[in-house]
Amino acid sequence: MKIGFDAKRVFHNTTGLGNYSRDLIRILAKFYPKSTYYLYNPKPKKVYRLELTQSMHEVLPNTKFWKKYSSLWRQTAVLKQIKSDGVDVFHGLSGEIPRGLTKNKIKSVVTIHDLIFMRYPKLYSFFDRKIHFKKFKYAAKNANKVIAISEQTKKDIITFFKIDPSKIEVVYQGCNNVFKEERSVIEKKEFLDKYKIPDTFLLNVGTIEERKNALSIVKAVKEIDIPLVIVGRKTKYYTQIENYIQKNNLENKIYFLEGLTLKELSTVYQLAEVFIYPSIFEGFGIPIIEALFSKTPVITSKEGVFPEAGGPNSLYVDPYNIKEMIEAIELLLKSKNKKEEMVNKGFDFVQQFNDEIIAKKIKAIYKEL
C-alpha cells in the first residue's frame, strides 16, 4: 500500500502537530515496513527529528514555480505528484487535505486535533478563525474518513461541522519513545547542573499562553514551599506571569526553560515530583501522556478531554480554583503512598497509548478505504 502524508509539520514544527505527525509516520513504518510512505513537504526542512527509513520518501515541489509558491502547491498542485506516485490513501495530519483528491479517485483521511478556534474564538484573530474554519470544514466534509484524537474532539466535529458520527474514528495519540526510556542518575544530575534548577520541583510543560493557564500554578506555588519549573515557548501571556512573579517576590522560586531536546524533556519529567497541567481546553493533552510514561503523578483539569488522557488515577481540579490546586499538590507531597499508587496505576493506564495499538488502528482505517 502507498500512503501519502501532508508532511509540512513533520519537517517544520517542533511541538504538538509536528510530534503527532512524526510519531505516526515512524510507528507505521516500524510495524508496516512493506508499505511505502510519501511525505509531501512544501519547502526544505528545518526540523530533523524524523529519521527516514527505506520505506519513507520525502517529496518536495518539482518545479521552480511551485518551490516559490509552496503554500499554494500544498493545497492544490501537490495533487499531480500524488497521482504520479500512485498513492492509494492520502492522510492530512493536521486538519487539511489538498483539493481534488475525490475527483481523482484517491481515498483520503484527515486528522483533526481540536476545534479550539471555535470554542475559544477570542484566542485567535478574525482572519485566522476564518481560514481555520474553511480548511477544517472542507477536509471534514470531503475526506473519506476523519480521525479525531479524542472523544471530545469527535463531539466538537459533529457539533460545529455537522459531520455524520459514523464517518469519524477516535484514535488516541501516543508519544515519542524517548519518554518511555529511564534516564540514568548521571543524566539527571547533568541536567540539574546544566540548567541550575533545584533537585525537587513541580513541573508544567507547554507553550506559555493564556489557554495553558500556567499563572494558576504560579499562584498556587506562592503558598507552597516547593519551586516550579515551566518548560515552553513564551508568548505575550508570559508578561502576566512575570509581573505576578515580580510583584510577589517569587524570582527564586519559578524557573523557565525553553528549547530543550526531547531527551532533556524526558529527563525533566522524570525528575519532577508532580506534573501539573491546568489547561482550559485541549484536543487531547499529550504532555499528560508523557508524564504518565515518565512515572510522574499528574494533576490536571477536571472538564473536557483531560480525564481521557489522565485516566482514573490522576487528580482533577478546577483550573482556576487555586485552593483546590494547592490541596491536590500538598496531598501528593505529603503522602508517599498516594503518590506511588498514582504512579503505578497511571503507568498501567497509559499502556493503551503504545505504538503498536495506534499503528494497528490507523492501518485498519487505511485498509478499510
Side-chain angles (χ1 to χ4, degrees), residues 46-201:
K46 295 181 179 179
V47 176
Y48 296 81
R49 289 189 177 181
L50 179 67
E51 184 177 344
L52 299 184
T53 66
Q54 286 187 338
S55 62
M56 299 179 199
H57 303 279
E58 181 186 0
V59 183
L60 290 155
N62 57 4
T63 68
K64 287 183 179 180
F65 180 86
W66 290 120
K67 285 176 183 178
K68 183 176 181 180
Y69 298 100
S70 58
S71 293
L72 187 58
W73 172 83
R74 179 171 169 254
Q75 296 172 38
T76 55
V78 67
L79 182 63
K80 187 174 181 180
Q81 288 175 250
I82 293 170
K83 287 173 63 180
S84 175
D85 291 330
V87 165
D88 298 302
V89 178
F90 184 88
H91 190 163
L93 295 167
S94 54
E96 301 176 57
I97 57 172
R99 294 180 178 271
L101 292 170
T102 303
K103 185 179 178 181
N104 286 275
K105 299 180 181 179
I106 299 168
K107 299 294 186 179
S108 59
V109 181
V110 65
T111 296
I112 294 181
H113 298 259
D114 61 67
L115 296 179
I116 296 172
F117 66 93
M118 298 292 294
R119 280 188 163 270
Y120 297 91
K122 69 174 184 176
L123 299 176
Y124 296 80
S125 72
F126 173 81
F127 290 106
D128 281 346
R129 292 199 308 272
K130 292 297 182 184
I131 291 169
H132 288 333
F133 181 82
K134 186 176 181 180
K135 287 182 177 180
F136 282 35
K137 187 173 183 179
Y138 175 85
K141 292 282 188 184
N142 289 276
N144 297 101
K145 202 77 175 178
V146 177
I147 293 174
I149 63 167
S150 67
E151 292 291 346
Q152 177 65 58
T153 297
K154 179 176 180 177
K155 291 175 186 175
D156 286 350
I157 294 168
I158 295 167
T159 300
F160 292 115
F161 294 151
K162 311 302 180 189
I163 301 299
D164 183 347
S166 66
K167 184 179 177 178
I168 308 169
E169 195 81 31
V170 174
V171 182
Y172 290 120
Q173 288 183 256
C175 70
N176 193 288
N177 279 337
V178 72
F179 298 102
K180 305 169 190 178
E181 301 165 357
E182 189 171 352
R183 303 270 77 89
S184 69
V185 173
I186 293 174
E187 286 173 321
K188 290 176 182 178
K189 185 179 185 304
E190 287 175 347
F191 180 89
L192 293 172
D193 290 344
K194 178 179 178 179
Y195 290 102
K196 296 179 173 56
I197 59 175
D199 294 356
T200 303
F201 58 87

